[in-house]
Amino acid sequence: MPISTYTDGIGDAFRSIGEYATGLVAPTVRLGVTGLARSGKTVFLTALVHNLMAGARLPFFDPAAEGRLVRAYLEPQPDDVVPRFDYETHLADLTASPPRWPESTRRISQFRLTLEYSSRRFWKRQLGRDRLHIDIVDYPGEWLLDLPLLRLDYREWSRAALEQAGALDRKTVAREWRKAIAEIDPKSRADEALAAKLSSSFKTYLTEARSDQYALSTLPPGRFLMPSELEGSPALTFAPLDPGEETSFSRGSLWWLMERRYEAYKTHVVRPFFRDHFARLDRQIVLIDVLAALNGGAEAVSDLERAMTEILECFRTGANTLWSSLFAPRIDRIVLAATKADHLHHQSHDRLEAILAKLTGRAMARAEYAGAEMKVLALAAVRATREGEARRNGETLPCIIGYPLAGETIGKRTFEGNEEFAIFPGDLPKDPALALKGWQTERGDMRFVRFRPPNPISLPSGGFAPFPNIRLDRALQALIGDRLA
């Protein structure tokens, strides 16, 4: 079954025509920002806005490097029914004393950033400053993992979920839920309390699978992990069942109840997200915490690879023509960013990019074949560490220096969060294929710890200096540089 229906397509076409006509007067780019939990979406957006509004030095972002970027400012959000991204609160978190990371994205949000700039083109400069509106849509990557559900019925989804739960990397964490399912007869009478119990057990399994210990990624339904305003609703109170050899179930059975709610979830949760937000994007950045998967081992890396393939295959990619802009807008530029690059010495940044390119190679090839431009980056929107050297056993090691978060561990040491340390994180392998299989460095296992934000620097004129970053300017150039020429 296709993701979008014929009726949806007609509605999208009329809306696209209206947005295209508006864009001729006031050019607008709809930029999607997504990533799985704790990949750094909120931090990325806060740093992006603050750097642009504060006039930060961005040497690889052409409009800023060439002195053509006049100013950046926030405008009232154009969509009255989508929550606004709370930039001011997130900035206050990063500039607090001591600074703290903002809360993670748990729902969709949006805001409009406007850039005023001078064009490179002589005839356009004679008309005065140009403006570009950037409507930024921030949404959890877990919701993207739901889009393939639109092609699956309840039986197919249940079978896939049970097969995944029986895989080697999930057997332990799924044990209690699989035990509960094994004791259930899907033909039994529908029971609300039992449905809630099974759904709760299933959600517990998904939550534990996503924890640092396992760091698994392919865990739909996404709203089970990030329910937002739907928490507790019947549309989120279902779970897979094992039908065995049974081919049909009577009305009023437990199977019938779960199937009905699964279909309601697709109709009232997944499809509106696709129609109202996802299908309208022009550009996209996907933030990926590759280091967390590497911490989790080969199984976590393999699961991340599977998740990224599923996510990227959901995008409607390709070069836009007048016809596609009017009737079926496509995402023509995608940036894949391996976040938290500041947790590594710069000598490993290129290797981190190579690992991400290897992880997403199949899906990237498909998008490029369709005509979309792809860019892979190692990124830190807010750099929490600085680099240094340390000597151990007569050997000089490249280190990163920062404040590890309270509770982070390396070996037998547990950090308290209030002291600066120099840490040797290890070297990523030269061959990215080794990272996908799991590996051990010559000096032992790698272990990436999380750091608190850097101390903010107050400006005499008020406010705070732009955050230090790694390759934020390159991400901006790849996403919107062409629209500011």
Side-chain angles (χ1 to χ4, degrees):
M1 182 178 68
I3 286 180
S4 57
T5 65
Y6 177 78
T7 303
D8 290 338
I10 295 295
D12 289 346
F14 279 110
R15 180 170 55 192
S16 296
I17 291 172
E19 291 176 350
Y20 184 82
T22 301
L24 294 176
V25 179
T28 302
V29 172
R30 285 182 63 84
L31 170 63
V33 178
T34 195
L36 299 176
R38 294 177 294 185
S39 59
K41 297 179 294 297
T42 302
V43 173
F44 170 79
L45 284 173
T46 305
L48 180 149
V49 174
H50 187 237
N51 272 268
L52 288 172
M53 292 178 60
R57 182 176 174 273
L58 300 166
F60 289 95
F61 182 42
D62 287 351
E66 296 167 1
R68 297 187 293 105
L69 186 60
V70 179
R71 68 174 180 136
Y73 53 93
L74 294 173
E75 290 202 82
Q77 182 180 321
D79 195 328
D80 294 329
V81 296
V82 179
R84 178 181 179 272
F85 179 80
D86 196 358
Y87 165 73
E88 293 79 10
T89 297
H90 300 322
L91 180 63
D93 287 335
L94 287 170
T95 55
S97 182
R100 55 184 177 269
W101 297 115
E103 290 189 9
S104 300
T105 298
R106 302 192 64 83
R107 63 178 186 179
I108 196 164
S109 65
Q110 183 178 327
F111 66 100
R112 169 169 283 187
L113 176 68
T114 296
L115 304 182
E116 289 187 4
Y117 68 100
S118 296
S119 175
R120 284 174 174 166
R121 299 179 178 89
F122 174 80
W123 64 270
K124 289 187 71 175
R125 289 200 303 271
Q126 308 314 303
L127 300 176
R129 296 176 183 174
D130 280 315
R131 289 193 307 166
L132 177 68
H133 299 309
I134 309 171
D135 289 343
I136 301 178
V137 183
D138 172 34
Y139 61 96
E142 284 77 3
W143 295 8
L144 277 184
L145 294 173
D146 283 349
L147 295 183
L149 299 184
L150 295 174
R151 299 188 179 95
L152 302 176
D153 62 25
Y154 177 65
R155 181 183 294 271
E156 291 168 331
W157 173 68
S158 291
R159 185 183 301 115
L162 289 165
E163 287 177 358
Q164 278 193 328
L168 181 62
D169 56 341
R170 300 190 184 211
K171 274 188 176 181
T172 300
V173 72
R175 182 182 294 117
E176 292 301 317
W177 172 67
R178 295 173 70 216
K179 180 180 177 182
I181 291 296
E183 298 171 354
I184 298 300
D185 181 2
K187 295 183 293 184
S188 62
R189 182 177 59 86
D191 183 284
E192 184 65 51
L194 179 58
K197 179 181 177 181
L198 292 175
S199 180
S200 177
S201 178
F202 183 57
K203 292 169 186 173
T204 298
Y205 146 58
L206 296 180
T207 301
E208 291 180 0
R210 193 180 62 174
S211 68
D212 288 343
Q213 181 179 357
Y214 299 97
L216 300 179
S217 304
T218 49
L219 303 168
R223 293 291 183 100
F224 278 24
L225 296 171
M226 294 189 172
S228 187
E229 75 283 356
L230 294 172
E231 187 166 6
S233 70
L236 267 65
T237 309
F238 64 91
L241 293 175
D242 186 357
E245 300 300 322
E246 197 70 33
T247 57
S248 62
F249 296 88
S250 63
R251 184 181 179 86
S253 66
L254 182 62
W255 178 276
W256 169 83
L257 177 66
M258 294 293 199
E259 184 177 38
R260 189 186 73 184
R261 291 183 174 179
Y262 172 79
E263 292 299 331
Y265 180 81
K266 294 198 299 181
T267 300
H268 300 294
V269 178
V270 183
R271 195 176 295 281
F273 165 67
F274 174 82
R275 180 188 64 236
D276 298 335
H277 306 291
F278 184 71
R280 300 168 60 196
L281 299 176
D282 304 308
R283 304 282 167 90
Q284 177 71 55
I285 182 168
V286 183
L287 305 176
I288 306 164
D289 190 353
V290 177
L291 299 184
L294 294 176
N295 268 351
E299 292 84 2
V301 173
S302 177
D303 202 65
L304 177 62
E305 180 180 16
R306 187 161 55 246
M308 286 300 103
T309 298
E310 291 181 7
I311 284 175
L312 292 175
E313 288 181 348
C314 290
F315 292 141
R316 187 157 59 187
T317 57
N320 272 307
T321 62
L322 176 59
W323 179 264
S324 67
S325 297
L326 290 174
F327 297 102
R330 298 171 181 170
I331 297 174
D332 58 6
R333 287 196 177 196
I334 300 175
V335 171
L336 305 177
T339 57
K340 304 175 185 176
D342 56 331
H343 292 28
L344 293 166
H345 195 272
H346 74 271
Q347 295 174 358
S348 284
H349 289 173
D350 288 346
R351 297 182 183 183
L352 181 60
E353 290 181 354
I355 292 170
L356 178 54
K358 185 74 174 178
L359 273 170
T360 57
R362 186 175 65 181
M364 281 179 60
R366 176 179 173 273
E368 290 174 337
Y369 180 79
E373 293 188 29
M374 305 289 296
K375 181 74 173 179
V376 173
L377 288 173
L379 175 76
V382 173
R383 184 170 191 162
T385 66
R386 65 184 194 276
E387 295 187 351
E389 293 181 344
R391 291 189 64 82
R392 188 176 69 182
N393 300 327
E395 183 181 11
T396 300
L397 302 177
C399 294
I400 53 174
I401 303 168
Y403 290 83
L405 290 174
E408 290 292 294
T409 62
I410 294 181
K412 297 181 180 180
R413 167 173 280 177
T414 300
F415 299 99
E416 298 180 0
N418 55 7
E419 190 174 354
E420 193 175 51
F421 284 88
I423 295 172
F424 171 65
D427 301 310
L428 292 176
K430 293 180 181 179
D431 181 359
L434 293 178
L436 272 60
K437 298 175 182 177
W439 88 105
Q440 190 179 59
T441 70
E442 294 178 0
R443 303 180 182 94
D445 290 331
M446 296 190 73
R447 181 69 189 174
F448 308 105
V449 301
R450 293 172 293 182
F451 295 85
R452 79 168 204 198
N455 292 321
I457 300 175
S458 300
L459 297 174
S461 57
F464 296 90
F467 303 111
N469 66 79
I470 297 174
R471 297 179 181 171
L472 180 62
D473 51 352
R474 296 176 190 263
L476 281 167
Q477 179 63 27
L479 289 168
I480 60 171
D482 63 312
R483 297 297 299 270
L484 297 164

